[in-house]
Amino acid sequence: MDADVIIVGAGPTGLMLAGELRLAGARVVVAELLDEPTGQSRGLGFTARAMEAFDQRGLLPRFGGLQTSPLGHFGGVQFDYTVLEDAHFGARGVPQSQTEAVLEQWAGELGADIRRGSALTALTDHGDRVEVTLTGTGGEQRLTAGWLVGCDGGHSVVRKAAGFDFPGTPATREMYLADVVGCGLKPRFLGEKLPGGMVMAAPLAEGVDRIIVCPHGTPPRDRTDRTVTFAEVAEAWRAITGEDISHGSAEWVSSFTDATRQATEYRRGRVLLAGDAAHIHLPAGGQGLSTGVQDAVNLGWKLAAEVAGRAPEGLLDTYHAERHPVGERLLSNTRAQGMVFLGGEEADPLRELLTELMAYDDVKRHLAGSVSHLDLRYDLGAGSHPLLGRRLPPRALRTAAGATTTTAELLHAAQGVLLDLADDAEVRATAEGWKDRVVTVTATLDAAERRTDPFAGAAAVLVRPDGYVAWTSADGERATDALERWFGPAAPGR
Ligand SMILES: Cc1cc2nc3c(=O)[nH]c(=O)nc-3n(C[C@H](O)[C@H](O)[C@H](O)COP(=O)(O)OP(=O)(O)OC[C@H]3O[C@@H](n4cnc5c(N)ncnc54)[C@H](O)[C@@H]3O)c2cc1C
């Protein structure tokens, strides 16, 4: 075997997955067809939950000063994230190229073998291994690995070659996105609806604006051999706004559509899909990159356990079981946003109704929870504690040794965490058998922690490496069952 796992695609999903797998000790090759990163700004920022996922791995300082905003929107109808209990805001204005650079450096430092200029052109799943052909300037190369993950974006070659179904609705319209220079545009953060379509503009840097142009009635064009030009975008902008921006220029222009599709399975044999390779949708509310990153965080530790031969029965299949419904919900929420955002006059009553509903905190909480990805709750079976299946929320802790730490810090090594909140020697003794996979921490909420106590009623909490709570107990009973279910049998001799 040349690697335990071959990842195809060094976008945000592939790079995050490479880092996660390396943290868990798997040997990883990342094959990326491009010789160099694109430098494109595409996904500008990430959701609150993706930001927490980066925090869990200690990655946030690598981004430098991050701007956050309490303001969100659903289909252009504004709300305030402070309605959520923890009031966590996503990062905005971070170009995708920066996110990719941070992740590529991190994954490289951890030992991922990132091979640029290597396009996957063929694959065969032999049942006990996967063989791929990578084609680059140096010719063809054959590699074999235990597993293959397609993180190769919306046009995924892996998805097609491995025979995944990708049903959904085809594109009905074409829209434009550009980072324009010297156009002197007034900001239109939430978009402006005009008779000819919707336009958005937001400053990116000194003299540079991100614009989105969504004309009504522009059918999708075949862009295989003809990329969109600044002149086309300027003409579409003029047709909607009456403003001439043709004297400016563009750092980057692109077109996108409302095509919405999802793979029916995220795993076929030894081939898996993650990120845009598994789901495509309108880029409404900036959720694509963040969903891909969270697919990767969900999959990484499970696949690494499988590679190491210590995964409990069915663990890897929980990747599809947990992430497919998340993708389904994403498709539905972006389609709904598209109807409100991009519809013509016929959508005005819907927009007015949504604006009225936004006066209610429950509505705001529901929509903010959904687009920030903070409301995610995996169905992890029996138990009634409010934390079960939810992410470990950010909190300051004080350990039994008197040190202060945070819930995010406990997850830096991407191992499981058993929080012993009641200083229970029996729980700690039970966990000894898993100490190669699960860190046991005796701690309580820090006295200075002013937020609500999410652990109320729990004496012990088991957290998976992806930061989701797998088990809680009021008295530490049945810790063995929980540890076995998620991490396999205890180490021999324990
Ligand atoms: C116009 C536009 C605006 C967007 N705005 C936002 C936003 O504001 N916020 C947000 O969160 N998301 C946004 N998105 C979505 C976001 O860019 C994607 O969801 C994100 O890039 C998905 O990451 P990925 O790693 O899954 O796929 P990609 O980023 O597409 O990465 C796939 C990688 O695979 C490589 N590859 C492809 N084929 C092969 C092959 N055969 N062999 C080897 N490598 C291959 C590609 O070169 C690429 O590097 C936007 C998207 C578009 C199009």
Side-chain angles (χ1 to χ4, degrees):
M1 297 276 189
D2 299 290
D4 294 320
V5 182
I6 295 174
I7 297 171
V8 184
T13 308
L15 293 167
M16 189 75 202
L17 180 61
E20 292 290 298
L21 286 165
R22 284 301 305 141
L23 277 172
R27 291 178 308 134
V28 180
V29 169
V30 182
E32 166 58 52
L33 75 82
L34 298 175
D35 293 330
E36 299 289 337
T38 64
Q40 291 172 358
S41 65
R42 267 212 284 176
L44 275 181
F46 27 86
T47 65
R49 182 57 198 147
M51 192 157 161
E52 285 183 2
F54 291 145
D55 196 20
Q56 282 173 194
R57 300 299 181 247
L59 290 172
L60 288 185
R62 295 181 183 233
F63 286 92
L66 277 175
Q67 260 190 36
T68 59
S69 166
L71 294 183
H73 73 89
F74 191 90
V77 181
Q78 202 164 15
F79 60 75
D80 188 331
Y81 280 113
T82 49
V83 73
L84 295 176
E85 193 195 340
D86 279 328
H88 278 279
F89 318 132
R92 66 172 190 188
V94 188
Q96 184 163 330
S97 52
Q98 188 191 350
T99 304
E100 289 174 4
V102 164
L103 295 177
E104 183 158 356
Q105 191 186 21
W106 173 66
E109 284 167 14
L110 288 170
D113 177 0
I114 302 169
R115 302 188 187 179
R116 289 195 164 271
S118 300
L120 176 126
T121 46
L123 71 88
T124 311
D125 182 347
H126 292 287
D128 60 348
R129 68 195 189 287
V130 185
E131 198 179 336
V132 302
T133 306
L134 303 180
T135 309
T137 40
E140 278 193 357
Q141 210 186 355
R142 290 240 159 93
L143 294 186
T144 312
W147 299 88
L148 178 72
V149 189
C151 300
D152 49 341
H155 299 288
S156 173
V157 174
V158 173
R159 187 182 66 226
K160 290 168 198 155
F164 285 87
D165 271 345
F166 198 49
T169 52
T172 64
R173 58 193 294 181
E174 184 177 62
M175 295 154 275
Y176 307 103
L177 173 146
D179 295 345
V180 296
V181 184
C183 296
L185 295 171
K186 68 169 187 201
R188 292 164 160 113
F189 290 111
L190 285 177
E192 185 173 343
K193 295 186 65 67
L194 294 161
M198 195 279 288
V199 290
M200 230 181 198
L204 259 192
E206 188 64 36
V208 185
D209 294 294
R210 156 70 65 95
I211 63 169
I212 292 180
V213 195
C214 307
H216 291 317
T218 308
R221 274 168 260 188
D222 181 2
R223 293 281 177 193
T224 327
D225 300 318
R226 199 173 61 82
T227 49
V228 64
T229 62
F230 173 64
E232 275 176 85
V233 177
E235 177 47 30
W237 184 271
R238 192 205 53 74
I240 299 175
T241 64
E243 295 168 9
D244 182 7
I245 58 167
S246 61
H247 57 280
S249 60
E251 287 186 343
W252 172 57
V253 288
S254 171
S255 63
F256 62 99
T257 73
D258 57 352
T260 302
R261 295 182 179 279
Q262 185 183 24
T264 51
E265 8 171 42
Y266 281 15
R267 174 187 169 195
R268 275 174 75 80
R270 290 187 166 264
V271 183
L272 298 114
L273 298 177
D276 277 17
H279 38 72
I280 56 162
H281 55 86
L282 192 70
Q287 301 177 75
L289 181 156
S290 298
T291 304
V293 163
Q294 290 173 81
D295 286 347
V297 176
N298 185 287
L299 175 59
W301 68 281
K302 297 173 182 174
L303 187 52
E306 190 70 39
V307 162
R310 53 165 201 252
E313 182 73 31
L315 180 70
L316 189 56
D317 290 330
T318 65
Y319 168 60
H320 169 92
E322 291 173 3
R323 293 306 296 175
H324 190 272
V326 171
E328 248 172 352
R329 196 163 173 231
L330 169 73
L331 264 50
S332 161
N333 117 20
T334 49
R335 287 180 78 179
Q337 292 201 60
M339 286 171 194
V340 182
F341 224 179
L342 302 175
E345 276 177 15
E346 76 287 354
D348 283 347
L350 188 59
R351 218 167 288 126
E352 281 157 25
L353 180 66
L354 187 61
T355 308
E356 280 171 30
L357 287 173
M358 224 41 120
Y360 297 92
D361 277 355
D362 277 351
V363 173
K364 278 189 276 198
R365 211 171 285 121
H366 179 82
L367 295 175
S370 151
V371 298
S372 64
H373 304 152
L374 289 174
D375 69 351
L376 181 57
R377 181 172 204 172
Y378 294 132
D379 181 4
L380 302 187
S384 59
H385 195 281
L387 268 189
L388 189 66
R390 293 194 185 277
R391 104 272 196 220
L392 181 68
R395 287 290 186 280
L397 301 173
R398 181 162 289 271
T399 67
T404 50
T405 184
T406 64
T407 46
E409 244 171 51
L410 296 181
L411 289 158
H412 280 190
Q415 290 193 304
V417 175
L418 182 63
L419 261 181
D420 162 31
L421 297 159
D423 198 356
D424 183 337
E426 210 169 307
V427 163
R428 289 197 296 278
T430 304
E432 275 288 297
W434 285 267
K435 70 177 182 194
D436 54 335
R437 289 153 277 173
V438 178
V439 184
T440 302
V441 181
T442 301
T444 50
L445 269 195
D446 190 277
E449 180 59 76
R450 290 175 209 286
R451 289 172 284 191
T452 52
D453 179 2
F455 307 121
V461 172
L462 180 63
V463 187
R464 310 189 314 190
D466 61 354
Y468 284 83
V469 173
W471 169 84
T472 66
S473 168
D475 51 15
E477 288 287 298
R478 306 185 69 83
T480 303
D481 292 351
L483 287 159
E484 276 177 352
R485 173 174 176 201
W486 292 105
F487 298 97
R494 296 279 174 186

